[in-house]
Amino acid sequence: MCTSLKKKIMLVFGTRPEAIKMCPLVNELKARSSIETLVVVTGQHRQMLAQVLEVFHVIPDYDLSIMKEKQSLFDITINVLDNLKGILEETNPDVVLVHGDTNTTFATSLACFYMKIPIGHVEAGLRTYNVYSPWPEEFNRQVVSMISSYNFAPTALAFQNLIDEKRNSEMIWITGNTVIDALKTTVKTDYSHSELVWASDCRLILITAHRRENLGTNMYNMFRAIKRVLDEHSDVKAIYPIHMNPLIRSAAKEIFTNNDKIHIIEPLDVLDFHNFLSKSYLVITDSGGIQEEAPALAKPVLVMRDTTERPEGVIAGTLKLVGTSEEVIYNEFTLLLNNKDVYDSMAQAVNPYGDGHASERIADILEFGEMRH
Ligand code: UD1
Ligand code: UDP
């Protein structure tokens, strides 16, 4: 009987940002002949995940299709655990790679822990040390660090967080963030889009918002502040590719209906979004990943959160935490639009998140036990 000597590496992911950061790694691993690569998507996101898979030409081997409208944290965790068990038993991977801090990541890691399958954590070591901010992501990523065998830290700060938590330094590598790998392939100088033509006579504000802890009052505060600023500036237009969560959609509809300064559009695929980002004047968001992309493109970001696990961008000067109070967001947004010195000091091209070779480094470690790039 002939048994394969290839190392079997499974990647499990389910949401848009995980897919954006894991697909470059999937393609890198698939190019390595000594590795057998298996891709499992949980389908925690349905349409927003499909958009990314299409851009990166990744076809999953398994799809758990767990998404439900207005799903709860219980729904995601239970359904991932339940559906993944049989696949892990059937395929018996040598290592399972997870990304970041979603419930897909947490539940997959828990399943692997129960089955004693080694876990590799991509984007390890990000911390706020407040388990309610972001919620539930800070809990998810801390738990994964307790049980993962390979820790791929994007920055020196993330590495240090893991060292401070007494994790074994021999199992932590600083690789850079795979989002920079993705960004290298998406941004084009000759890109055009009808929405950008609509905004071309103005300064373009790009908006996104989705954090679970911001649903409800905080989100209304955020939207009201943005509306006031848009109404007061004739040379500004906003594009808001809105998350598919129905709770966010109803809040945005309530505040922005009949407002001709803002276009609320369907989620952009990642190629479009990165190009919108590169053509924008500034970004206002509660997203995690955008805090990594914007510094690489020298775009100021107002982060509508009280904490960030990405202090590198704050230190670099590109990001500013503005919380979720209507008055503070209104004041900070107005200042950034009206004060060119403040704007220029934030619009610096500092990229603390790597050189675009993170996937190669992670693949090297998995293949050879060390980085060769
Ligand atoms: C999830 C992650 C969060 C990550 C975010 C990225 C958890 C707990 N949360 O939050 O860490 O930052 O993704 O966007 O893991 N929906 C659709 N179609 C889609 C995607 C979502 O209809 O393609 C709707 C569904 O009604 C779904 C709801 O949005 O129930 C919320 O999705 P969910 O994944 O639970 O939460 P996110 O806020 O997206
Ligand atoms: N993004 C996208 N289309 C959009 C909005 C965002 O492709 O319409 C990308 C963005 O470039 C970033 C990622 O989605 O890479 C961020 O995802 P999200 O804000 O949903 O999650 P988070 O990063 O907060 O976990």
Side-chain angles (χ1 to χ4, degrees):
M1 196 176 76
C2 181
T3 38
S4 166
L5 292 174
K6 288 187 178 187
K7 194 167 193 175
K8 193 185 282 184
I9 298 183
M10 176 183 283
L11 301 94
V12 185
F13 50 92
T15 65
R16 169 172 68 192
E18 292 167 85
I20 291 170
K21 293 167 171 181
M22 288 293 248
C23 283
L25 180 56
V26 169
N27 288 332
E28 178 64 33
L29 290 170
K30 277 186 184 290
R32 308 233 172 175
S33 55
S34 70
I35 290 176
E36 180 185 346
T37 307
L38 281 176
V39 176
V40 178
V41 294
T42 64
Q44 175 176 337
H45 285 173
R46 175 46 49 215
Q47 302 89 337
M48 286 159 52
L49 173 70
Q51 284 182 312
V52 185
L53 296 175
E54 201 178 316
V55 167
F56 288 96
H57 309 292
V58 169
I59 300 168
D61 299 286
Y62 296 88
D63 186 343
L64 310 187
S65 289
I66 65 151
M67 197 194 88
K68 294 194 217 169
E69 181 153 325
K70 297 186 188 171
Q71 62 205 358
S72 70
L73 298 177
F74 289 86
D75 293 327
I76 307 166
T77 301
I78 290 165
N79 288 323
V80 171
L81 271 177
D82 205 26
N83 285 286
L84 199 55
K85 181 168 175 276
I87 295 172
L88 292 174
E89 284 167 348
E90 180 190 318
T91 54
N92 195 23
D94 295 304
V95 182
V96 172
L97 301 180
V98 294
H99 181 276
D101 52 26
T102 69
N103 270 37
T104 282
T105 308
F106 165 64
T108 300
S109 303
L110 190 58
C112 292
F113 177 64
Y114 287 163
M115 296 180 65
K116 298 197 174 155
I117 299 170
I119 300 162
H121 191 195
V122 181
E123 201 176 277
L126 276 64
R127 295 290 186 266
T128 63
Y129 293 109
N130 176 348
V131 285
Y132 289 101
S133 178
W135 174 76
E137 290 86 354
E138 178 68 15
F139 168 83
N140 289 344
R141 58 190 169 220
Q142 288 201 30
V143 170
V144 179
S145 295
M146 287 179 67
I147 53 179
S148 59
S149 302
Y150 300 85
N151 299 279
F152 304 112
T155 64
L157 203 74
F159 176 90
Q160 192 57 43
N161 287 337
L162 294 168
I163 295 295
D164 292 348
E165 291 169 22
K166 310 274 184 275
R167 305 288 162 228
N168 178 356
S169 62
E170 289 178 11
M171 298 312 283
I172 315 171
W173 294 266
I174 302 174
T175 58
N177 196 309
T178 55
V179 79
I180 305 298
D181 306 14
L183 210 50
K184 275 201 330 188
T185 66
T186 49
V187 177
K188 318 266 181 223
T189 45
D190 58 348
Y191 178 85
S192 69
H193 191 287
S194 56
E195 289 295 341
L196 294 179
V197 174
W198 167 73
S200 61
D201 56 345
C202 282
R203 292 184 283 176
L204 170 62
I205 313 302
L206 197 55
I207 302 168
T208 79
H210 73 83
R211 296 244 81 81
R212 227 167 239 271
E213 70 272 17
N214 284 341
L215 298 176
T217 309
N218 287 353
M219 203 146 284
Y220 280 91
N221 289 343
M222 287 152 54
F223 291 162
R224 272 194 292 265
I226 291 169
K227 179 180 181 308
R228 281 167 61 193
V229 176
L230 295 180
D231 288 347
E232 288 171 12
H233 289 81
S234 59
D235 67 333
V236 161
K237 282 180 179 167
I239 296 178
Y240 178 7
I242 195 164
H243 193 288
M244 298 198 75
N245 188 332
L247 299 171
I248 300 169
R249 290 185 169 217
S250 60
K253 194 169 167 202
E254 215 177 292
I255 306 292
F256 294 118
T257 293
N258 296 329
N259 190 319
D260 61 4
K261 302 297 296 295
I262 182 167
H263 275 189
I264 298 183
I265 59 173
E266 288 304 313
L268 292 164
D269 76 35
V270 62
L271 194 142
D272 289 324
F273 188 82
H274 283 171
N275 283 286
F276 274 51
L277 191 56
S278 92
K279 300 272 191 279
S280 68
Y281 186 71
L282 66 89
V283 188
I284 182 155
T285 188
D286 66 5
S287 162
I290 294 169
Q291 294 178 54
E292 294 152 348
E293 294 161 349
L297 295 170
K299 299 298 173 184
V301 186
L302 297 178
V303 183
M304 297 181 290
R305 293 173 49 181
D306 296 320
T307 59
T308 182
E309 57 292 280
R310 292 159 170 101
E312 297 89 348
V314 178
I315 294 162
T318 325
L319 313 181
K320 194 170 197 181
L321 282 181
V322 297
T324 54
S325 114
E326 180 180 335
E327 277 319 299
V328 177
I329 296 170
Y330 170 82
N331 289 333
E332 293 289 350
F333 191 4
T334 303
L335 177 73
L336 192 51
L337 285 174
N338 292 351
N339 188 322
K340 190 76 171 55
D341 291 340
V342 172
Y343 180 87
D344 287 343
S345 74
M346 287 181 77
Q348 301 163 24
V350 179
N351 164 23
Y353 296 108
D355 57 3
H357 295 281
S359 301
E360 287 154 73
R361 294 194 184 99
I362 294 168
D364 281 354
I365 293 156
L366 294 166
E367 188 175 7
F368 311 114
E370 61 179 11
M371 291 196 277
R372 296 189 174 181
H373 286 84

